[in-house]
Amino acid sequence: METRIRKLDYSRIDENIIQEAGQIIREGGLVAFPTETVYGLGGDALNPESSRKIYAAKGRPSDNPLIVHIAEKSDLYRIVREVPQKAEKLMEAFWPGPLTMIFFKNELVPEATTGGLGTVAVRMPSDRIAAAFIRAAGGFVAAPSANVSGRPSTTTAGHVEEDLSGRIEMILDGGQAVIGLESTIVDMSVEPPVILRPGAVTREMMEEQIGPLEVDKAIIAPDSGIKPKAPGMKYRHYAPRADLAVVEGQTEQVIAAINRMTEEKEAEGKRVGIIATDETASRYPKGLVFSLGARRHEEEIAMHLFEVLRDFDETDVDCIYSESFEEASIGPAIMNRLLKAAGHKVIHV
Ligand code: AMP
Ligand code: MG
């Protein structure tokens, strides 16, 4: 199949293109679209056949449920059995935005969309192209991240094209995703609610609204063999082709350790990649150094992480060493993705 690519301009969103994309969804096809988090691979959430196509296009295991995207808060009540008061508070504070909430689903939502689960994940994106597209598509768009399963999520239309060209009807190009990491996921079907995936809406931000939350233990101690509650979190993710290890410790020691390991590897004839920041990049005389941006602007780090992991796949490095990111707010979300990409290989110095 030939994938149509349509560029959109936020200052003047072309309604004809939006309608063309919406019609593809209503007819059971697939469209990748920009959101503020990452690009989504969309299909009709209420059509089991569309969900099956999404799994096939991504090569995604079919027990890994999709997130249903809506454009009106009121549409939530049409697909779930109940909306707890705490969820209404979070909706009030963070929708539209990078927060996904899990509810008990009703019979309108096919199990093909929820990976066989009785619950459904729902998000209302703030991106204006996404909102217009969801409305044109009928209001309920199932979408996981628009990448081939296991690869880093996509933050530009070009990345989507790399992964999914020829497998989907259309890509809507809205430029670079501004957050660059997937949404926070919080399970509202249990009490207290549980964070299943960290994102730009942080634990502290939510606790300010609704009081104490729990965090899925599989996020904190991923090596412990605990089964994550978000099925998708159990799969190896984001992995670059080269071996990636995260180096943790005081900045000066991390730089020294990475330089030493780089020399050792190069002496063995290996090629080494280094994930650094603007503040540290010039401190690495050897290896192929990519910067994620300024450490003092952690949003920049978040925005460029998946892009840099993909950039390394275009090179011939054998191994990659990355600095670590422990800072507050979006730091836990950055580290969560980086550690998954590294298969939890951490070097403490
Ligand atoms: P992606 O959009 O690629 O980030 O994938 C969606 C994520 O949401 C995956 O990690 C899923 O496991 C998670 N998810 C979706 N629906 C549910 C649900 N009903 N319960 C728990 N996790 C879910
Ligand atoms: Mg994904």
Side-chain angles (χ1 to χ4, degrees):
M1 131 184 9
E2 202 197 321
T3 302
R4 284 172 267 170
I5 298 171
R6 297 279 185 271
K7 203 164 170 47
L8 284 163
D9 181 347
Y10 282 90
S11 66
R12 195 170 35 83
I13 297 173
D14 186 333
E15 188 55 29
N16 290 326
I17 295 176
I18 294 293
Q19 287 307 323
E20 190 187 359
Q23 189 179 351
I24 292 171
I25 300 294
R26 283 183 273 110
E27 289 173 353
L30 304 182
V31 176
F33 62 102
T35 82
E36 68 276 23
T37 57
V38 297
Y39 273 70
L41 171 55
D44 180 353
L46 307 186
N47 177 351
E49 207 39 59
S50 297
S51 293
R52 277 182 214 112
K53 283 189 193 166
I54 291 175
Y55 289 109
K58 280 189 63 125
R60 178 174 177 126
S62 62
D63 67 344
N64 185 359
L66 311 176
I67 293 173
V68 178
H69 291 69
I70 59 175
E72 314 288 340
K73 287 181 188 167
S74 56
D75 280 345
L76 172 66
Y77 298 84
R78 294 177 52 197
I79 54 170
V80 304
R81 279 201 288 175
E82 57 174 339
V83 180
Q85 219 173 11
K86 286 183 181 178
E88 288 187 322
K89 279 200 173 163
L90 292 182
M91 270 166 81
E92 208 43 57
F94 303 114
W95 275 12
L99 175 67
T100 297
M101 288 190 272
I102 292 177
F103 303 93
F104 290 107
K105 74 174 194 72
N106 71 18
E107 64 294 340
L108 264 185
V109 185
E111 288 199 347
T113 299
T114 64
L117 296 175
T119 52
V120 60
V122 188
R123 179 164 103 83
M124 179 176 172
S126 62
D127 184 279
R128 289 185 299 111
I129 291 173
F133 161 66
I134 293 164
R135 284 194 192 97
F140 301 96
V141 173
S145 49
N147 52 281
V148 162
S149 195
R151 292 209 73 201
S153 300
T154 49
T155 52
T156 67
H159 295 165
V160 179
E161 209 184 331
E162 262 168 41
D163 276 23
L164 297 173
S165 188
R167 304 196 201 184
I168 62 179
E169 275 79 3
M170 183 178 281
I171 300 171
L172 293 177
D173 180 353
Q176 180 155 25
V178 293
I179 295 177
L181 299 178
E182 306 88 342
S183 59
T184 305
I185 303 181
V186 57
D187 186 352
M188 305 306 295
S189 74
V190 292
E191 180 51 43
V194 182
I195 297 172
L196 306 186
R197 178 172 75 186
V201 174
T202 64
R203 178 180 189 169
E204 293 72 27
M205 288 160 71
M206 291 188 284
E207 287 188 333
E208 204 171 290
Q209 301 292 328
I210 61 168
L213 290 173
E214 284 183 4
V215 179
D216 188 5
K217 297 210 173 40
I219 296 177
I220 306 167
D223 287 333
S224 60
I226 300 167
K227 197 167 160 235
K229 293 214 184 74
M233 302 295 280
K234 74 171 179 269
Y235 294 106
R236 179 152 181 197
H237 248 81
Y238 317 130
R241 285 187 249 279
D243 255 352
L244 169 65
V246 180
V247 185
E248 282 188 352
Q250 305 249 310
T251 308
E252 286 305 317
Q253 278 155 355
V254 168
I255 293 169
I258 291 179
N259 279 329
R260 183 170 32 76
M261 293 185 294
T262 301
E263 278 198 28
E264 283 165 13
K265 291 282 180 194
E266 287 190 350
E268 292 168 20
K270 299 237 168 71
R271 290 181 186 276
V272 181
I274 298 171
I275 299 181
T277 54
D278 289 354
E279 290 89 338
T280 57
S282 66
R283 309 276 310 275
Y284 298 106
K286 300 229 163 91
L288 177 61
V289 183
F290 287 154
S291 173
L292 292 172
R295 191 174 271 278
R296 61 186 182 282
H297 298 141
E298 56 176 14
E299 326 79 58
E300 270 186 35
I301 307 279
M303 190 174 173
H304 295 127
L305 177 62
F306 289 141
E307 188 182 344
V308 163
L309 291 176
R310 279 179 179 267
D311 285 347
F312 270 118
D313 279 351
E314 305 292 311
T315 74
D316 59 355
V317 299
D318 303 297
C319 58
I320 306 169
Y321 296 112
S322 176
E323 297 179 4
S324 63
F325 302 90
E326 308 288 11
E327 288 82 2
S329 88
I330 204 168
I334 297 170
M335 278 310 278
N336 171 262
R337 308 313 192 272
L338 195 53
L339 288 172
K340 278 179 77 79
H344 295 284
K345 199 180 312 150
V346 179
I347 298 167
H348 295 278
V349 296

